[in-house]
Amino acid sequence: MKVVMTSSNQLVDSCLLVNRRIEQRQEHSITHTEITQRRVLQEKTPDMLQYTGQPELHQGNSYSLDVPYHPTNGHQDNHSPNSSHLSVQSGDAATLVSRTQKQQTTQQVTTLTKVVREVHHVGADGQPVDYVSHSGLPYTGAGVLPTSAAPTYPHTQFSNYELMAGQEAYPPMDPARRYPETYHPNYQDYEQYPPQPEYPYQNPPYPGTFPAYSDASNYAEQPAYGERPPTPPSPSERSESPPLQQALQHDYLQKGAPFAQPGFDELDSTLIPPRQEHYRITPSPGAPVDRYGDESKLVYGYAPPSPYGTVPAAYGTNGADPRTFEENGPPTRTIFEDEEELRKHLSMHPAIPSPSVDDEQRGMRWRDPNLTEVIGFLNNPNNVIKANAAAYLQHLCYMDDPNKQKTRSLGGIPPLVMLLSHESPDVYRNACGALRNLSYGRQNDENKRAIKNAGGIPSLINLLQKSSDSEVKELVTGVLWNLSSCEDLKRSIIDDGLTVVVNHIIIPHSGWDSTSSGETCWSTIFRNASGVLRNVSSAGEYARKKLRECEGLVDSLLYVVRSAIEKSNIGNKSVENCVCVLRNLSYRCQEVEDPHYDKHPLPTQSRVGAQHKGDNLGCFGASKKKKDAQPVQHKETASGSRSAGQRMEPAKGMELLWQPEVVQSYLSLLQSCSNPETLEAAAGALQNLAACYWQPSIEIRAAVRKEKGLPILVELLRMEVDRVVCAVATALRNLAIDQRNKELIGKYAMRDLVQKLPSGNPQHDQGTSDDTIAAVLATLNEVIKKNAEFSRSLLEAGGVERLMTITRHRQKYTPRVLKFAGQVLFTMWQHQELREVYKKHGWKEQDFVTKTVAARNAGPNSPNNANSTLNRPMASQGGTRYEDRTMQRTSNMNSASRSPGPSLYQQGEDIPMADMSYPEGGTHAPPPAGARNYPPTSLAKPGEPLYAQVNREKKKNRQYEAGAQPPFEGQLPPGPGDMWGYEEPAKGVVMDAHSENPTGGDSWV
Amino acid sequence: MCAKMAFQHQAGTAMECLSIPITLHKEPGVDHEGAEVLKCGFKIGGGIDQDFRKSPQGYTDYGIYVTEVHDGSPAAKSGLRMHDKILQCNGYDFTMVTHKKAVDYIRKHPVLNLLVARKGVTST
């Protein structure tokens, strides 16, 4: 009570007052802490206790940090830290949770759930009366919040705010600020605010009310918490992203309150505190201390109220705010949430904010600093102000592209980059956060360039090298990830940062090197770093060369993939990134021997070579029975011979990329992974590896067969995700260069291949892209080329009708598809022995041979010419083409409004995977007439190997859609694949074996 | 006739028989290593790489059979019964799969759409 009173007074008054406030607040915090402890104890978490104790806030900080990180990355896959917290809490107070949920529904403030829960407990346990009363009010307020509730709420909130403000003033910087309990109070406040947009304006009244508040103030706040706690959206929490979000939210909420209390104690490191401070600070520019109190209060009031209000809704919808996660660090998150509202407020402010404050309160005038002023504060000699300015800038730029661009044009980026080298952890950490937001978003390439031009890349790398703070590392790698999505910067990142990123992060985190435990560390840092590599690995031959030659990189990536497979932990983003890098590095792998390998005429034998190596056909595993052909033994023999064929000395470095052993890893992923990105990348890797002419490619093609990979690939043809199907179909096409593979594909995959061709039924044809159709056609052409039987089975599978469907709807398909379809028909017609059969079906020569195709095939390079396909140069690959595509994507970009937040999609999109385009100049030489009208990309002929290509546009779209989903990270349809995608195969326990078969025994599923 | 075909099916040959559609929603559980997984709560036996003649249940072909169903498990709730022969799982043919493959398929998806043959129900 006393405290409250004092605080109110202080608020009104000047600096001196502020100091008092602090003390008072501390008291409050203490009381709170006790309560919280009780709760905590009950609940279980030591952290909670710590939270209560301000000093221990650090833990809280870490907690908060985790949250922010996730956001930064945009990927929430690895939430372990946060999630654990959440789970614990939820577990403890099951009943409480349930309550909260109900309440939440009414209140809208879902986000705050965790905190809220705690509060409730406290309320019940601790000071029932006060809490209850308070909480009751908040609740009602919350329920009413939208409009009517405002009156009651305001008071409670106000008190909080004031407290906050005082605390904010400076205390703030505690690393641990995110402490749950403290936060809770804030939380409540925030929530309340949100509901009441008017709040800010109401501020004046608050001051007046304060006294009243003061009594209840401490408790009131807590109560509020209690109420809100209930809200904790349990549902969202469960999901991967939710935890983060929740955590974030908690942080936010808590931050407000926590700041005040903890903040005072620990000013130094906490990000959050800075943010809070920022708010406060920003106003202070004119008169830091004095105004602080006032300004900060005002600011808080303004920002929090609306933001929260808005935020909750957002959370509710999304489950978690992707945005926050992505761009804003935890601290930022609060801010972010606020941001939206803040913006509104800001817009409103010009007229309203200061006046209201002035009038009601002690005539204090304050306003939020504008962008120019904030940027000015970056150069303020006071480190605290610097840090706050950076944090506030981060806040202002969250999800706000105009502000991002404005910040650049106002010269805000160079000072931020300068701050990266600052000695104060708060300063460089906050600068990282601001840069992360500034660099996020596809449409912010100019900002990325500006960061680079200001020397940002070396500065970031230096920071990455010198800092041991994992939060800073996450932030830095997050910024780098954003930067790496800009084509212009990839080379710079490779030149300046590749070695550090690999040696400081990738290798140690992978667990590959002998010094480590062997366990892969699935951290956000690793995810970010692998994302950087994923992006830069698509930057053409230069990038591939540098990455391949980077010592330990390929080894680490493959190690990570293998260990992920062992642990059945293959659905996460880190694995996706790693596989994408591997795919990109596998692109044109033969170039390490001869950069122009595909320009030379190919020796015909290469193809034959592949065949003879073969052993038996026993690869179509499932069908072996039917096949009568090769029993298991043969397979074993085959594998034996294969291994014998391999080099004896262990391969390392880039050579690992094309060792036949990698096939097993890729096939494992293809068999069990549910992450379409990873599936696409794994299929793309096989496609790339099988696309070259050198001996390793021959061995890879055989290895896929021996590892029974063909049925796995064929099965994936039935998958719904077209991008995956396309990669798989193209891989099959390249694998079909191997004679045995060709026979197996013709024998067992014909129907699945035909199924991917358009039937004329829109429903069926819907989701199949032209690229996929082209890849299927190329495979079919390869398969039937010299095999009349397969040509017949293509006919019997209804392939001719479908081919005709294509050629008869020329306007519906790309020239490439039309050309390929025509080529397949032409090839069919070349089997003279089947012509009678065709005619029996009612087809004529004209159906199979069109003028253009005939003309095309008249040349010396005609496809039917036995080796024409191979003879042709592979065509310069589209090593860089993806870049262009990337650019094009922009058109697809939706406004930043996507729920996921810019960072997410950005990263996803940007992460161009390698994206290789089809080799130009397909195998088939251009028609004599040189009538190539199609874009270069489409030139690949049916006969030649194709490189894996990523269809970015689709990907983008998908991501966008995904954005709507709660966990941004879990964009993939399956959501966090982790949830079910990867069950452990090991479960299968042999209860009783039918036989001695290795597989024998029943399996639990 | 159908019954005979369903339970004495020669893997790889065409077959037509009545079947029972079953939708099974897996539930989270913990495997023996403590990892969280989605569980069905049933056990399968058989496969084209298994010798049905040695099966304790006396199955008569290489199909995939449900050899045990946990009480109260998702499998039990879905109506799956012991000795059901799984013909399809999420569209995949189960009349000609290896044991391991069947396990993989079943583990692959959170929801299983099964077609099963049941003696005395789909056949006489």
Side-chain angles (χ1 to χ4, degrees), chain A residues 26 118 133 137 176 184 189 214 382 476 539 593 659 740 776 798 821 890 917 963:
Chain A
Q26 290 176 347
E118 293 176 358
S133 63
L137 294 175
H184 295 296
D189 295 341
S214 62
N382 183 328
V476 170
E593 251 185 18
Q659 295 305 303
R740 287 182 187 276
V776 167
T890 313
S917 46

Side-chain angles (χ1 to χ4, degrees), chain A residues 638-868:
Chain A
S639 62
S641 67
R642 178 197 67 184
S643 59
Q646 300 172 359
R647 297 139 203 187
M648 297 331 278
E649 74 275 20
K652 63 173 188 175
M654 74 169 87
E655 288 182 0
L656 290 170
L657 286 170
W658 47 80
Q659 295 305 303
E661 287 78 29
V662 300
V663 167
Q664 210 168 13
S665 296
Y666 294 136
L667 290 178
S668 294
L669 292 173
L670 289 171
Q671 191 162 26
S672 5
C673 192
S674 58
N675 179 339
E677 299 276 352
T678 305
L679 287 174
E680 181 188 7
L686 290 178
Q687 171 190 337
N688 287 341
L689 291 172
C692 295
Y693 304 117
W694 62 345
Q695 189 60 28
S697 287
I698 293 170
E699 291 175 4
I700 289 282
R701 289 190 285 261
V704 171
R705 179 180 66 250
K706 292 168 190 166
E707 297 288 347
K708 302 179 192 169
L710 293 175
I712 294 172
L713 289 165
V714 171
E715 179 191 317
L716 284 170
L717 287 176
R718 303 171 201 156
M719 193 170 179
E720 293 171 359
V721 184
D722 182 69
R723 294 174 304 108
V724 176
V725 175
C726 186
V728 166
T730 316
L732 282 172
R733 183 260 163 283
N734 288 348
L735 291 167
I737 293 174
D738 178 294
Q739 184 61 32
R740 287 182 187 276
N741 286 350
K742 188 181 303 184
E743 290 168 7
L744 288 165
I745 292 170
K747 198 166 177 184
Y748 297 107
M750 187 62 78
R751 287 187 179 279
D752 283 312
L753 288 169
V754 171
Q755 197 61 29
K756 297 311 294 181
L757 297 178
S759 64
N761 173 358
Q763 207 166 359
H764 167 277
D765 303 343
Q766 211 172 8
T768 306
S769 68
D770 278 16
D771 282 342
T772 301
I773 296 171
V776 167
L777 290 171
T779 310
L780 287 172
N781 192 63
E782 187 71 27
V783 166
I784 66 169
K785 202 166 10 182
K786 288 193 282 184
N787 191 316
E789 268 319 295
F790 292 151
S791 185
R792 184 197 294 271
S793 60
L794 173 58
L795 168 73
E796 290 167 355
V800 175
E801 289 87 347
R802 298 199 180 210
L803 290 167
M804 303 274 186
T805 301
I806 295 174
T807 56
R808 283 173 190 156
H809 297 83
R810 307 193 72 84
Q811 71 290 354
K812 281 175 68 178
Y813 302 96
T814 62
R816 181 159 164 256
V817 167
L818 293 171
K819 179 179 171 183
F820 282 19
Q823 187 62 56
V824 174
L825 285 170
F826 183 85
T827 304
M828 290 184 81
W829 188 252
Q830 299 313 302
H831 295 292
Q832 304 203 5
E833 63 270 39
L834 293 175
R835 288 182 184 175
E836 282 309 311
V837 183
Y838 300 149
K839 285 174 180 168
K840 275 184 192 169
H841 281 77
W843 286 301
K844 309 171 197 158
E845 178 172 358
Q846 300 92 291
D847 293 323
F848 289 89
V849 185
T850 62
K851 283 183 187 174
T852 49
V853 175
R856 194 186 303 144
N857 288 286
N861 289 327
S862 72
N864 291 317
N865 203 339
N867 302 317
S868 64

Side-chain angles (χ1 to χ4, degrees), chain B residues 56-96:
Chain B
Q57 296 88 349
Y59 296 133
T60 49
D61 65 15
Y62 289 103
I64 299 293
Y65 287 89
V66 176
T67 56
E68 193 173 333
V69 175
H70 253 196
D71 289 342
S73 67
K77 292 176 198 165
S78 71
L80 201 64
R81 305 226 196 120
M82 198 191 294
H83 303 317
D84 282 353
K85 176 178 175 176
I86 302 180
L87 304 172
Q88 271 188 26
C89 171
N90 291 341
Y92 292 116
D93 174 37
F94 260 40
T95 64
M96 194 174 74

Side-chain angles (χ1 to χ4, degrees), chain A residues 440-566:
Chain A
Y440 178 84
R442 229 184 151 55
Q443 50 282 78
N444 293 312
D445 277 5
E446 272 312 312
N447 281 8
K448 297 170 194 170
R449 292 186 192 101
I451 292 171
K452 183 243 178 184
N453 292 338
I457 294 175
S459 297
L460 287 164
I461 295 297
N462 281 339
L463 187 52
L464 186 62
Q465 235 170 333
K466 81 174 187 192
S467 175
S468 55
D469 179 352
S470 63
E471 177 180 0
V472 171
K473 287 182 178 176
E474 286 188 19
L475 287 167
V476 170
T477 50
V479 179
L480 288 172
W481 193 352
N482 286 343
L483 296 180
S484 69
S485 67
C486 178
E487 289 299 330
D488 310 356
L489 306 185
K490 290 179 179 177
R491 192 153 176 157
S492 298
I493 293 172
I494 291 171
D495 291 340
D496 295 335
L498 177 62
T499 317
V500 172
V501 168
V502 171
N503 290 334
H504 279 69
I505 299 182
I506 298 293
I507 293 179
H509 285 246
S510 72
W512 164 73
D513 57 335
S514 51
T515 58
S516 71
S517 62
E519 291 285 310
T520 299
C521 173
W522 301 103
S523 65
T524 303
I525 301 173
F526 182 74
R527 183 189 64 197
N528 290 355
S530 59
V532 173
L533 296 182
R534 173 176 172 178
N535 278 345
V536 301
S537 67
S538 66
E541 182 176 355
Y542 178 80
R544 290 194 297 274
K545 184 169 191 292
K546 287 289 182 184
L547 265 65
R548 284 174 188 147
E549 292 173 353
C550 189
E551 203 164 336
L553 175 58
V554 173
D555 313 64
S556 299
L557 295 175
L558 283 169
Y559 183 89
V560 167
V561 171
R562 292 207 178 94
S563 101
I565 292 169
E566 279 177 23

Side-chain angles (χ1 to χ4, degrees), chain A residues 400-412:
Chain A
D400 190 334
D401 284 339
N403 263 356
K404 291 178 190 179
Q405 287 156 25
K406 209 171 150 196
T407 300
R408 184 188 70 245
S409 59
L410 290 173

